[in-house]
Amino acid sequence: MKTIILNIAATCGLLFISNQQLCAQEVTKGPQISFEKETHDFGQVPYRGNTTYTFELKNTGKEPLIISKVGWSCSCTVAEWPTEPIAPGKKALIKVRYDSARVGKINKSFTVQSNAVNEPEKKLYIKGEVLPQQELPVESAPAQTN
């Protein structure tokens, strides 16, 4: 009886290891996406200031990477991404922009959808704060003399 149980346990263990190796091989076969940076902090920016950032990605896989879509969390953000396949070992850029005509904290996300076997959906983040518009001091007009 002990021998049967040990044989079943050994067989299950071998099947588990074999399955893990097959999964690892599948992941290394296709395209893989990796980002230099996943979160960008603008810090404090002035009203209508520059809130554009470019995320750099790399295809670390062995097949072409295709970005199918980049979704954003609200209408105050937009993104531009490459439509052409990204060859293995090559880099590409995803440009994101936040509408800085909105005062207050920035905490937004973008979802990158691709054919990457390691992360078919990858979240990118931007954060910061848009400061209120500063009013310029009103200069008094010079007194008129007659």
Side-chain angles (χ1 to χ4, degrees):
M1 184 69 169
K2 287 182 183 179
T3 307
I4 293 172
I5 293 173
L6 286 174
N7 283 337
I8 291 172
T11 302
C12 288
L14 288 174
L15 287 174
F16 177 77
I17 291 170
S18 176
N19 188 36
Q20 292 296 90
Q21 289 173 342
L22 286 174
C23 289
Q25 287 174 356
E26 287 178 19
V27 169
T28 58
K29 282 184 182 179
Q32 293 189 31
I33 194 168
S34 67
F35 284 87
E36 180 180 89
K37 184 176 176 182
E38 297 174 11
T39 301
H40 177 69
D41 187 351
F42 289 108
Q44 293 184 328
V45 293
Y47 181 80
R48 294 199 185 272
N50 182 13
T51 49
T52 300
Y53 183 74
T54 303
F55 288 94
E56 184 176 290
L57 67 95
K58 184 175 182 179
N59 179 0
T60 57
K62 302 199 183 308
E63 294 178 20
L65 174 68
I66 299 169
I67 308 285
S68 55
K69 181 181 176 183
V70 177
W72 42 87
S73 57
C74 78
S75 62
C76 58
T77 54
V78 293
E80 298 173 21
W81 63 92
T83 56
E84 296 296 317
I86 303 157
K90 297 297 180 184
K91 294 181 179 181
L93 303 173
I94 296 177
K95 183 178 179 180
V96 299
R97 185 170 29 99
Y98 176 77
D99 180 4
S100 61
R102 302 165 187 252
V103 174
K105 297 279 184 191
I106 304 168
N107 191 10
K108 302 297 175 186
S109 65
F110 296 84
T111 303
V112 179
Q113 296 178 355
S114 72
N115 66 334
V117 294
N118 63 329
E119 291 185 275
E121 286 194 3
K122 179 67 179 172
K123 289 256 191 199
L124 301 175
Y125 302 92
I126 57 171
K127 61 183 184 175
E129 181 181 13
V130 177
L131 300 174
Q133 185 174 8
Q134 294 184 1
E135 294 184 23
L136 298 175
V138 177
E139 293 184 31
S140 55
Q144 292 195 6
T145 56
N146 291 348

